[in-house]
Amino acid sequence: MIIFSNAPFWARNLYQKNPDEFWSAYLVYVKKVLSINNSSIKSYQLWNEANHFIDPIKPEDDFRLFQIAGEQVKTSHSESLRFVNVLANLPGWQNHVDAWISKAGESFDVIAIDHYPGTWTPFADNNWYPLDILISRINDPNDLWYGKQAAVIETGFSSWFLPIASEARQARWMEKSLPAVLGKIRLNNRKSDNKVLALGVYQLVDTCSQQFKRESCHGEDLFFTIGIEAHFGLLNSDYSEKLAFNEIRRILSGE
């Protein structure tokens, strides 16, 4: 999956100063990304969590991200699926999706949720209420979301700091949360033509595990090299396996 996202600072500044030039530059960027990818790429994510409060694009402009990228993907990679993802742990997330569909519904095929029970929310590890909502709405003929496919693009648990979290706690999260979400996905996919197409666990490798020197870390952004966000990996930043790595392997192998 290719993700159109993470606008650099110059692009963010351009959006604030001259929106028209930003949209022109964004179109150039999208075309460039598509030009260097071959037909083996079957999925494109059109931006990332456009409803997030740190996102630089105004909510009323989000649909333009999806229109520009979605139309270009359709033109040059017509066999590929187009995803939009929403952070389902923020208030009003369904309203954002409603607006995206109303203004740019033809530009994407899949509604994906990002949900972090236990880390970014106070809910129990196996509380998957956003997925229940998503499945219900894509299967309701009277709903705006009807007929779209679904996905869970991001979920996971950070092992960042004792006593709040640990590698053992992260492994227990996998043990409780993944079977719960997989059960809901499999039940829907047996009954409905509107499928849940993907489940993505964030992420494979820690950005910067606390117990290792900075030389083994990945990336320079301070937000991603300290604290919660740096420790979602199934592997430490030196690629050694965490307990969660073996737990997720056990679950997916059906043991």
Side-chain angles (χ1 to χ4, degrees):
M1 177 180 285
I2 297 297
I3 302 175
F4 297 106
S5 187
N6 296 333
F9 286 115
W10 70 262
R12 297 176 182 221
N13 291 335
L14 183 62
Y15 174 73
Q16 295 296 327
K17 295 177 181 178
N18 193 326
D20 289 338
E21 286 192 15
F22 169 83
W23 295 117
S24 297
Y26 182 61
L27 177 60
V28 172
Y29 158 69
V30 169
K31 288 182 175 180
K32 180 64 175 179
V33 172
L34 291 171
S35 73
I36 61 178
N37 290 317
N38 59 36
S39 59
S40 65
I41 304 298
K42 298 301 182 184
S43 300
Y44 288 86
Q45 182 177 302
L46 314 181
W47 211 247
N48 181 56
E49 296 181 348
N51 69 312
H52 202 299
F53 57 83
I54 67 170
D55 186 75
I57 307 302
K58 296 177 182 178
E60 59 267 29
D61 286 342
D62 287 343
F63 78 97
R64 299 191 66 179
L65 295 167
F66 309 140
Q67 278 186 338
I68 291 171
E71 290 172 5
Q72 292 301 315
V73 170
K74 188 68 173 179
T75 299
S76 60
H77 293 67
S78 59
E79 300 299 316
S80 297
L81 287 170
R82 302 162 300 171
F83 290 65
V84 296
N85 68 319
V86 59
L87 182 56
N89 301 143
L90 292 179
W93 65 273
Q94 294 182 71
N95 296 333
H96 285 272
V97 179
D98 288 343
W100 301 344
I101 292 179
S102 296
K103 295 181 179 180
E106 297 301 315
S107 300
F108 58 90
D109 312 295
V110 185
I111 302 169
I113 58 169
D114 297 354
H115 178 48
Y116 289 90
T119 293
W120 292 124
T121 74
F123 302 112
D125 296 348
N126 59 358
N127 187 321
W128 277 93
Y129 80 93
L131 182 57
D132 293 332
I133 292 172
L134 177 57
I135 288 173
S136 174
R137 295 196 63 175
I138 65 171
N139 287 302
D140 181 352
N142 298 313
D143 197 285
L144 192 63
W145 300 11
Y146 178 68
K148 294 294 186 185
Q149 306 295 318
V152 179
I153 288 294
E154 290 184 25
T155 192
F157 189 88
S158 176
S159 63
W160 73 297
F161 185 70
L162 285 170
I164 301 171
S166 65
E167 284 194 32
R169 175 71 180 88
Q170 184 186 41
R172 289 197 300 273
W173 184 93
M174 297 291 173
E175 180 184 15
K176 292 181 179 180
S177 193
L178 289 188
V181 67
L182 286 169
K184 292 178 183 294
I185 290 172
R186 289 165 178 159
L187 178 61
N188 175 78
N189 290 356
R190 285 196 300 267
K191 297 167 53 180
S192 174
D193 291 331
N194 302 320
K195 307 298 185 184
V196 182
L197 301 178
L199 170 62
V201 175
Y202 181 80
Q203 62 181 343
L204 181 58
V205 185
D206 272 2
T207 309
C208 189
S209 303
Q210 290 179 350
Q211 66 267 43
F212 298 104
K213 295 181 179 179
R214 187 175 176 85
E215 288 77 13
S216 69
C217 298
H218 312 283
E220 296 299 324
D221 190 327
L222 184 64
F223 179 69
F224 289 102
T225 54
I226 61 172
I228 294 177
E229 193 69 25
H231 296 87
F232 275 93
L234 301 175
L235 305 176
N236 291 299
S237 54
D238 71 341
Y239 301 103
S240 60
E241 296 176 3
K242 294 185 187 179
L243 296 174
F245 183 86
N246 289 316
E247 183 61 29
I248 194 172
R249 179 164 54 190
R250 181 191 67 78
I251 291 168
L252 295 180
S253 67
E255 295 178 7

